[in-house]
Amino acid sequence: MQTRKKYIFLTFLASWLLLFFFGGDQLRRFTFFSGKKAEAQRNWPRWTDRSLLKSFAHPKELQSDADPTLPSPRERRVARLNVYKNSRCRMETCFDFSRCEKHGFKVFTYPRERDQPISESYGKILTSIERSRYYTPNPEEACLFILSIDTLDRDHLSGQYIRNVDEKIRSFPLWNGGQNHLIFNLYSGTWPNYTEDLGFDIGQAILAKASFYTESFRPGFDISIPLFSKDHPQHGGERGWLFQDSIPPKKKYLLVFKGKRYLTGIGSGTRNALHHIHNGKDIISLTTCKHGKDWEKHKDVRCDKDNVDYEKFDYQELLHNSTFCIVPRGRRLGSFRFLEALQAACIPVLLSDGWELPFAEAIDWGKAAVVGNERLLLQIPSTIRCIHPERVLAFQQQTQFLWDAYFSSVDKIVHTTLEIIKDRLLPHRSRSRFLWNTLPGGLLALPDFSTHLGDFPFYYLQRGSSPSEKFTAFIRAASPVGFPSQPVLRLIQAVSGSQYCAQILVLWTCEKPPPPSGKWPQTTVPLTIIQGRGKLSDRFFPYAAIQTDAVLSLDEHTSLSTSEVDFAFVVWRSFPERIVGFPTQSHFWDAEQRRWGYTAKWTNEISIVLTTAAFYHRYPVSRERWEAHPHPAPHHLAPFPRYYHSLFTEYLPAGLRELVDGLTVCEDILMNVLVAAVTKLPPIKVTQQKQHKETVPQQVGCKDRGVGTPLAGEWSPSPPHSPPAKVKGTAGAAGGRRFSQRQDCLNQLVDWFGYMPLVSSQLRLDPVLFKDQVSVLRKKYPRLEKP
């Protein structure tokens, strides 16, 4: 019996040995490859490697990162579907393009109800739309509709939460399931989950929303906008903090953050971990628990120390002196510090997974921000240290461009939203990403005029090209006696003698018909007479007859020689984006009156070149765009895209053009303000033989005095700290009224733009060897020195 048991035991043992030697190798291989596969699917570092890694977090903190109050993916999906029942909406399926065919891109805002409260921010949005060139008071002309119901704050715990929105919008006859409607929203959801729930069904409406989740965002249909405060300016806005030669690319601090730390709830995980990267030297990360009503109930062991350290640094000082700024998510994905960092030229380091960045459809954020991952926070310092200083400076410059172009005011945020929607209507005429992300920006590079870079004066240098070698002289003239005056005849002869003149256009602004062709002088270049509409803004109407890039704007009483015209045109070809001319004036801040002043006195600075004798770039518009507008001569409408004329006529709202036509002395100031707002550069003055005498334009009728009759005893307000000039006689009083009107015009334009766009300069360009004691044979423009 014992022998039998022994044999059974030996047989069992031999079987295990055979299994180990012959099958164990296969088993080890299976385990090895399975481990390889699992390793390929996991990201490094693995928690099994914790013995090789330095611990930066306390085990209790790691356990508390997964807050049990956070919504599960299924809960988020259910909440999203409750709001986005038309989650597959696209422009092709949920937008009626036919409404935009007849009248173009027009926007209608619902009438405001007296008993309906509207927040300050939503009031600014509605005002921006109603002040824009797209606004129409007629819903029959509208392509897009904006609700008068305030939908910005959809947190039902907020005092600005509007109830029963569903019932109200369904009662609107224009609602139509939300089709062709645009809804603005800044805050959605509420404590503790802060889901995408708006509290009403948006239907087929386009949603312009802050803190947009990418999983909820409908590409090509919705628009992500930045979160802005109620104090964000209506228009204009403060300029960025980066000035030329003022600060180096690398500042005192490399990376900073100062803000709230959430102890519980959504967003707490990211902000709780920020203290790990703080080194107290070039990386400053400060948080405070001291916010909310019951923060002491939830405070942890770090709160007291964090609160003390938090008070040691000033937030504005950190923004000014840091190269990078951490922009973590808050309760929602977006935060106010995103715009604050852009303005401060502090490169945003975004830690908000799943955030659809503002206007990402148009803006290339890879050139202005560092997009991080919340789970890889500890890698952020080493990552930004590897960015080359030249790249850092490029990032900072791009933050300033984006801030100024699209985010510095509510007007710009709203207009950018509208322009993105407008681009979708005509994709073949939409702006390229290049136009959106380079100066002067998408709001000023209008696709109605051109999508070709060669048509814009800003890109000649980048493209290695230059403007055309000819110019068109555009003379505004009128004569109460029915034939051309002697000054305009001399002017035509002088201009036509220029080797660069391609044609001369005379804008006849008198109610009486223009003189017959036999009354006009014979010239070597084509001479065309255009009947005006009786408005001062006719000077900047985009006539198709202007076939050159350069326009020489003149009044009939302007006195110029051929040499002066030639030299000024040569200068303009080197600066095609600016106004280049002869008569100059300037602006100044009057501290006593608390308003902007205007002077024609010769000083060391100039900021305005009058368009009575100036070169600038044209900008005509397409024929389709102009068929809807009244015009004096259909055959002069522009069939091809070009520049400043159409920017003046189409970019500016009708109210500003009416201001110009009403004051009779404002059109040249408005053109200078417009060009300065686009280029951020001053005009250029060139030398001239005679001092310019300003003229008084007559709008219609040519009564009392011919258009452009010079004023005797010209008077102008004096700049600060100088005695005012004496006013003598009726002409002096008229001159005083004229300059008073100019000052009123200038201040009204500043109010509309929200800031003073004009830029002062001390530059005047003269020919080489101008007035030097050398032979005239060595001078290219010797006649400029003759009295």
Side-chain angles (χ1 to χ4, degrees):
M1 188 67 181
Q2 294 296 331
T3 304
R4 189 177 179 180
K5 290 182 178 180
K6 185 183 297 185
Y7 281 116
I8 292 174
F9 176 75
L10 291 174
T11 303
F12 181 75
L13 182 59
S15 300
W16 273 103
L17 291 174
L18 290 173
L19 179 63
F20 179 80
F21 284 105
F22 293 99
D25 183 66
Q26 298 295 329
L27 183 62
R28 286 193 300 272
R29 290 184 181 181
F30 175 77
T31 305
F32 176 79
F33 286 114
S34 298
K36 280 283 187 179
K37 183 176 181 180
E39 182 179 354
Q41 293 175 349
R42 292 200 302 262
N43 292 328
W44 188 91
R46 301 185 299 275
W47 292 117
T48 55
D49 299 329
R50 61 181 178 272
S51 60
L52 304 177
L53 298 175
K54 180 181 178 181
S55 177
F56 289 92
H58 194 274
K60 292 183 178 180
E61 294 180 0
L62 297 176
Q63 295 173 7
S64 65
D65 283 347
D67 197 293
T69 62
L70 300 184
S72 66
R74 171 175 287 188
E75 291 173 336
R76 291 201 303 266
R77 183 167 60 253
V78 171
R80 183 175 70 254
L81 293 178
N82 286 336
V83 179
Y84 304 95
K85 295 181 180 179
N86 295 277
S87 58
R88 296 184 178 180
C89 265
R90 298 293 182 268
M91 293 295 290
E92 297 78 9
T93 59
C94 296
F95 195 90
D96 184 5
F97 287 82
S98 63
R99 293 196 64 99
C100 312
E101 293 176 354
K102 184 176 181 181
H103 299 285
F105 187 69
K106 295 295 182 180
V107 184
F108 173 78
T109 59
Y110 281 62
R112 307 186 191 184
E113 301 178 4
R114 294 182 179 179
D115 58 342
Q116 185 67 57
I118 293 180
S119 65
E120 183 178 353
S121 296
Y122 198 66
K124 290 179 180 180
I125 290 176
L126 295 179
T127 301
S128 297
I129 296 170
E130 292 165 359
R131 294 173 71 245
S132 73
R133 64 185 182 278
Y134 295 129
Y135 174 72
T136 176
N138 184 1
E140 298 298 325
E141 299 179 354
C143 168
L144 191 66
F145 299 87
I146 311 294
L147 297 176
S148 60
I149 300 176
D150 188 348
T151 57
L152 289 186
D153 195 341
R154 301 307 300 161
D155 184 343
H156 69 260
L157 298 179
S158 170
Q160 296 180 340
Y161 180 81
I162 306 297
R163 304 186 183 278
N164 304 320
V165 173
D166 251 331
E167 298 177 6
K168 294 178 181 180
I169 60 178
R170 288 174 184 172
S171 65
F172 295 150
L174 297 173
W175 175 245
N176 192 25
Q179 194 174 59
N180 288 54
H181 280 68
L182 174 62
I183 294 176
F184 288 91
N185 174 255
L186 295 181
Y187 308 99
S188 64
T190 188
W191 172 267
N193 297 334
Y194 295 94
T195 62
E196 299 283 273
D197 185 14
L198 298 181
F200 66 97
D201 181 14
I202 65 173
Q204 297 181 344
I206 299 173
L207 183 59
K209 184 180 181 302
S211 304
F212 229 135
Y213 276 95
T214 53
E215 60 185 20
S216 304
F217 183 77
R218 296 171 290 184
F221 192 73
D222 291 329
I223 297 176
S224 178
I225 63 175
L227 182 65
F228 59 90
S229 69
K230 65 178 182 179
D231 299 323
H232 207 56
Q234 174 75 64
H235 49 263
E238 297 181 4
R239 296 190 177 184
W241 297 357
L242 182 67
F243 297 97
Q244 186 177 7
D245 300 329
S246 61
I247 52 179
K250 288 189 176 181
K251 308 179 189 178
K252 179 179 180 180
Y253 302 113
L254 174 69
L255 181 66
V256 301
F257 173 78
K258 183 180 181 182
K260 299 177 181 178
R261 177 163 69 91
Y262 304 122
L263 298 173
T264 60
I266 190 169
S268 60
T270 302
R271 297 205 176 197
N272 272 332
L274 288 175
H275 74 283
H276 295 309
I277 63 174
H278 174 80
N279 62 15
K281 298 177 181 178
D282 62 344
I283 298 180
I284 305 297
S285 181
L286 306 171
T287 58
T288 180
C289 311
K290 197 174 181 179
H291 60 88
K293 298 180 180 178
D294 54 352
W295 69 273
E296 291 185 349
K297 297 179 181 179
H298 303 282
K299 74 174 186 178
D300 55 21
V301 295
R302 293 199 344 252
C303 278
D304 292 335
K305 182 179 183 303
D306 287 352
N307 292 341
V308 173
D309 293 340
Y310 186 85
E311 300 298 333
K312 294 180 180 179
F313 291 85
D314 179 73
Y315 179 62
Q316 296 294 322
E317 189 267 341
L318 289 176
L319 284 179
H320 273 283
N321 294 281
S322 181
T323 306
F324 295 88
C325 286
I326 300 177
V327 182
R329 63 161 301 151
R331 294 301 191 188
R332 300 174 178 87
L333 292 178
S335 67
F336 295 140
R337 70 182 64 249
F338 178 68
L339 292 186
E340 293 170 353
L342 282 182
Q343 181 184 8
C346 189
I347 303 169
V349 179
L350 306 178
L351 295 176
S352 186
D353 296 352
W355 183 22
E356 180 70 19
L357 297 182
F359 306 135
E361 182 176 339
I363 295 176
D364 183 1
W365 285 109
K367 297 180 178 179
V370 177
V371 181
N373 189 307
E374 293 181 53
R375 298 182 179 180
L376 301 177
L377 170 64
L378 300 182
Q379 297 182 12
I380 294 297
S382 59
T383 300
I384 62 177
R385 290 185 194 276
C386 295
I387 302 178
H388 195 275
E390 292 183 0
R391 185 63 178 161
V392 169
L393 182 57
F395 268 91
Q396 291 174 333
Q397 291 173 338
Q398 191 69 1
T399 62
Q400 299 302 274
F401 160 67
L402 295 177
W403 164 258
D404 181 70
Y406 307 118
F407 299 108
S408 61
S409 67
V410 177
D411 278 0
K412 291 178 181 177
I413 293 174
V414 172
H415 293 170
T416 303
T417 303
L418 296 179
E419 292 291 345
I420 289 176
I421 297 175
K422 185 171 179 286
D423 271 2
R424 296 171 180 173
L425 303 181
L426 296 172
H428 62 285
R429 291 173 58 185
S430 62
R431 303 165 182 83
S432 65
R433 296 270 288 187
F434 179 85
L435 292 177
W436 278 109
N437 291 277
T438 55
L439 288 168
L443 297 184
L444 294 169
L446 304 185
D448 286 342
F449 314 137
S450 179
T451 57
H452 178 56
L453 299 182
D455 292 328
F456 297 93
F458 326 108
Y459 307 125
Y460 287 135
L461 182 61
Q462 297 181 25
R463 292 170 52 85
S465 58
S466 58
S468 60
E469 298 180 356
K470 297 288 185 177
F471 69 85
T472 297
F474 195 81
I475 305 174
R476 184 173 63 180
S479 177
V481 294
F483 55 84
S485 62
Q486 289 299 319
V488 75
L489 295 179
R490 291 192 297 268
L491 182 61
I492 291 175
Q493 292 290 354
V495 172
S496 64
S498 171
Q499 58 181 317
Y500 305 112
C501 183
Q503 58 180 339
I504 298 176
L505 303 180
V506 178
L507 177 65
W508 188 256
T509 60
C510 188
E511 288 181 344
K512 298 179 180 180
S517 57
K519 297 287 187 178
W520 297 94
Q522 298 295 322
T523 61
T524 56
V525 297
L527 176 65
T528 305
I529 312 299
I530 299 176
Q531 179 65 55
R533 298 173 299 172
K535 297 182 177 181
L536 291 175
S537 56
D538 284 353
R539 178 198 294 270
F540 305 119
F541 195 86
Y543 300 96
I546 304 175
Q547 294 298 317
T548 58
D549 290 334
V551 176
L552 173 58
S553 177
L554 299 165
D555 274 356
E556 64 175 331
H557 288 278
T558 300
S559 177
L560 289 176
S561 67
T562 303
S563 295
E564 290 173 315
V565 173
D566 285 346
F567 175 66
F569 179 68
V570 170
V571 172
W572 177 86
R573 293 195 74 233
S574 298
F575 306 93
E577 75 280 7
R578 305 202 210 182
I579 298 179
V580 177
F582 300 94
T584 60
Q585 298 180 354
S586 59
H587 73 287
F588 61 91
W589 175 251
D590 191 335
E592 295 181 359
Q593 299 292 329
R594 302 290 301 171
R595 64 193 304 241
W596 291 100
Y598 174 91
T599 179
K601 286 185 172 295
W602 284 29
T603 64
N604 289 333
E605 291 188 346
I606 62 104
S607 57
I608 297 173
V609 168
L610 300 182
T611 53
T612 55
F615 281 97
Y616 53 82
H617 195 286
R618 63 176 184 172
Y619 196 167
V621 67
S622 63
R623 177 181 295 276
E624 294 83 5
R625 185 67 178 172
W626 281 99
E627 286 177 348
H629 296 270
H631 46 78
H635 62 280
H636 290 302
L637 296 182
F640 303 109
R642 304 155 198 179
Y643 200 65
Y644 281 129
H645 272 186
S646 290
L647 198 61
F648 182 95
T649 312
E650 279 296 295
Y651 171 75
L652 299 175
L656 284 185
R657 297 195 300 273
E658 292 173 358
L659 171 68
V660 167
D661 294 327
L663 290 179
T664 72
V665 291
C666 195
E667 81 283 1
D668 48 2
I669 297 180
L670 178 54
M671 175 58 85
N672 276 268
V673 168
L674 176 61
V675 175
V678 172
T679 63
K680 308 294 187 297
L681 296 170
I684 294 179
K685 175 179 174 57
V686 292
T687 187
Q688 64 184 127
Q689 286 181 280
K690 299 180 181 179
Q691 183 175 350
H692 171 73
K693 290 184 178 181
E694 194 172 0
T695 59
V696 179
Q698 187 78 15
Q699 187 168 345
V700 293
C702 306
K703 299 176 183 178
D704 299 331
R705 176 174 56 215
V707 175
T709 303
L711 285 172
E714 190 70 50
W715 174 89
S716 66
S718 301
H721 310 297
S722 63
K726 296 181 179 181
V727 179
K728 296 182 180 181
T730 305
R737 289 193 300 269
R738 176 174 172 80
F739 272 90
S740 177
Q741 289 180 345
R742 281 188 172 273
Q743 289 193 134
D744 291 340
C745 166
L746 182 62
N747 283 277
Q748 291 185 54
L749 294 180
V750 171
D751 289 340
W752 189 89
F753 280 88
Y755 70 103
M756 168 55 76
L758 293 176
V759 181
S760 297
S761 172
Q762 297 181 346
L763 175 68
R764 189 188 80 178
L765 296 183
D766 298 334
V768 176
L769 301 179
F770 180 67
K771 291 190 175 181
D772 284 355
Q773 300 299 321
V774 297
S775 171
V776 294
L777 298 178
R778 301 177 60 185
K779 298 183 179 184
K780 189 173 182 179
Y781 304 99
R783 295 186 179 181
L784 288 181
E785 302 181 25
K786 293 183 178 180

